């Protein structure tokens, strides 16, 4: 293999890794806030992609322009899911953890079934976008512009999250609620409001990822499942609840996945990722940046 081909693999893995991190960060945020794993996370991603597709069809605008509207719609969805499902699941007297798991898993099945009914299982894509089909040539290393855009958006989102958590009152309320859900009520913080906004923010983040993916990836009712598996591995690898861990783990997953294709067929590219996760699980069960 030539140096140029190796650099091509590394660059592609890095860009996809940043997108994986963007997909996973909302999942990590919700778990860190509430100790709830959202098993409908992949279906949220799928809905964001369909929302992007539908808005493009209705308005003839580019997905880049429509992304903020998709993010706003997903924020409303996240708040609604918390208010209508999660809030009641958390009140279960017996086995609340299992109730929450089955509630989000059932929600995932419901969303996917409705998507198949209303949208059919057909594959769809958005044609003639500003970035679609365009590449950047860096000395013989070709980088697709949609992935470059996705990587840049991912870095911007993580920068925005860092600012939100460290520089705003809402971020401080999030951190306080993560540390002690009971004590925050004593200082006047409404735990339910923070949880609702946290779910809204988590869904909005996956909405950003969905709008980016819709530019270059096929849209169908099962699309969320593929990326959800990668997101779960990314969150577990980086450490449940660690936003910085999600970024680092996403990049690692993207690079390992790309490098695996140098050794194994492309259909087995996930073998390297899952092998790495198992290794980290045995050595550090809490993940790279998590705490037991």
């Amino acid at each position: 293999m030539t140096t140029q081909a190796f650099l091509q693999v590394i660059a592609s893995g890095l860009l996809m890794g940043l997108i994986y991190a963007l997909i996973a960060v909302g999942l990590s945020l919700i778990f860190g806030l509430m100790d709830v794993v959202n098993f409908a996370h992949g279906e949220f991603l799928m809905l964001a992609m369909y929302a992007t597709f539908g808005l493009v069809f209705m308005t003839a605008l580019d997905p880049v322009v429509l992304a903020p509207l998709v993010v706003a719609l997903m924020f409303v969805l996240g708040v609604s899911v918390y208010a209508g499902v999660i809030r009641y699941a958390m009140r279960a007297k017996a086995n609340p953890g299992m109730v929450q798991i089955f509630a989000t898993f059932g929600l995932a099945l419901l969303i996917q079934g409705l998507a198949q009914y209303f949208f059919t299982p057909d594959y769809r894509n958005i044609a003639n976008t500003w970035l679609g089909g365009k590449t950047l040539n860096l000395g013989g290393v070709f980088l697709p512009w949609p992935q470059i855009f996705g990587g840049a958006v991912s870095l911007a989102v993580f920068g925005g999250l860092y600012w939100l958590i460290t520089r705003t009152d809402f971020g401080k309320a999030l951190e306080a609620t993560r540390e002690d859900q009971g004590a925050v009520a004593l200082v006047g913080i409404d735990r339910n409001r923070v949880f609702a906004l946290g779910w809204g923010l988590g869904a909005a983040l996956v909405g950003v990822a969905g709008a980016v993916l819709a530019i270059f990836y096929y849209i169908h009712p099962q699309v969320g499942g593929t990326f959800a598996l990668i997101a779960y591995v990314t969150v577990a690898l980086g450490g449940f609840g660690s936003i910085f861990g999600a970024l680092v783990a996403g990049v690692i997953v993207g690079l390992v996945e790309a490098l695996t294709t140098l050794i194994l067929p492309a259909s087995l590219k996930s073998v390297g990722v899952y092998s790495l996760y198992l290794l980290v699980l045995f050595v550090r069960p809490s993940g790279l940046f998590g705490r037991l």
Side-chain angles (χ1 to χ4, degrees):
M1 171 174 287
T2 64
T3 301
Q4 186 176 8
F6 180 75
L7 291 175
Q8 179 72 62
V9 170
I10 294 296
S12 299
L14 177 61
L15 291 178
M16 279 308 301
L18 289 172
I19 294 175
Y20 289 155
L22 181 60
I23 295 171
V25 67
L27 184 66
S28 184
L29 176 72
I30 290 173
F31 182 88
L33 179 64
M34 301 172 57
D35 287 338
V36 174
V37 178
N38 179 18
F39 284 95
H41 189 75
E43 280 59 42
F44 281 17
L45 178 69
M46 176 261 291
L47 288 178
M49 295 176 73
Y50 270 113
T52 305
F53 177 84
L55 289 171
V56 169
F57 179 78
M58 289 187 294
T59 65
L61 297 175
D62 193 83
V64 174
V65 177
L66 294 169
L69 181 55
V70 174
V71 170
L73 291 173
M74 292 304 297
F75 179 86
V76 173
L77 174 66
V79 172
S80 301
V81 166
Y82 172 77
V85 179
I86 305 302
R87 182 177 59 171
Y88 297 102
M90 292 177 64
R91 294 177 180 175
K93 300 298 183 181
N95 296 323
M98 293 301 297
V99 172
Q100 294 161 19
I101 289 173
F102 284 118
T104 57
F105 186 72
L107 179 64
L109 293 178
L110 175 63
I111 293 173
Q112 190 173 132
L114 291 174
Q116 288 182 341
Y117 179 78
F118 288 107
F119 305 134
T120 75
D122 295 340
Y123 282 52
R124 292 175 169 82
N125 71 297
I126 301 175
N128 303 319
T129 62
W130 291 347
L131 302 174
K134 298 179 176 62
T135 58
L136 175 66
N137 183 358
L138 293 177
V141 177
F142 295 91
L143 304 177
W145 272 109
Q147 281 88 328
I148 294 174
F149 174 71
V153 168
S154 178
L155 292 174
V157 165
F158 276 94
L161 276 175
Y162 176 79
W163 174 82
L164 177 71
I165 292 173
T166 61
R167 297 288 188 270
T168 67
D169 291 338
F170 173 63
K172 293 174 183 177
L174 278 177
E175 285 297 298
T177 307
R178 287 176 61 174
E179 292 297 327
D180 193 330
Q181 298 180 13
V184 293
L186 300 176
V187 294
I189 295 176
D190 186 345
R191 186 183 69 168
N192 280 323
R193 181 172 180 271
V194 173
F195 284 167
L197 292 176
W199 267 80
L201 180 58
L205 290 170
V206 82
V208 178
V212 169
L213 281 175
I215 298 174
F216 64 93
Y217 205 86
Y218 284 107
I219 306 167
H220 56 95
Q222 287 79 36
V223 67
T226 302
F227 289 103
L229 285 175
I230 294 293
Y232 296 139
V233 171
T234 299
V235 171
L237 181 62
F240 280 99
S242 173
I243 292 176
F244 177 73
L247 174 60
V248 174
V251 172
I252 292 174
V253 166
L255 290 173
V256 170
E257 184 181 74
L259 291 171
T260 302
T261 60
L262 299 179
I263 305 170
L264 300 175
S267 59
L268 299 176
K269 63 182 181 179
S270 297
V271 170
V273 174
Y274 296 128
S275 299
L276 173 65
Y277 170 64
L278 287 174
L279 176 63
V280 173
L281 184 65
F282 285 121
V283 176
R284 186 173 173 79
S286 60
L288 296 177
F289 300 94
R291 299 191 304 269
L292 284 176

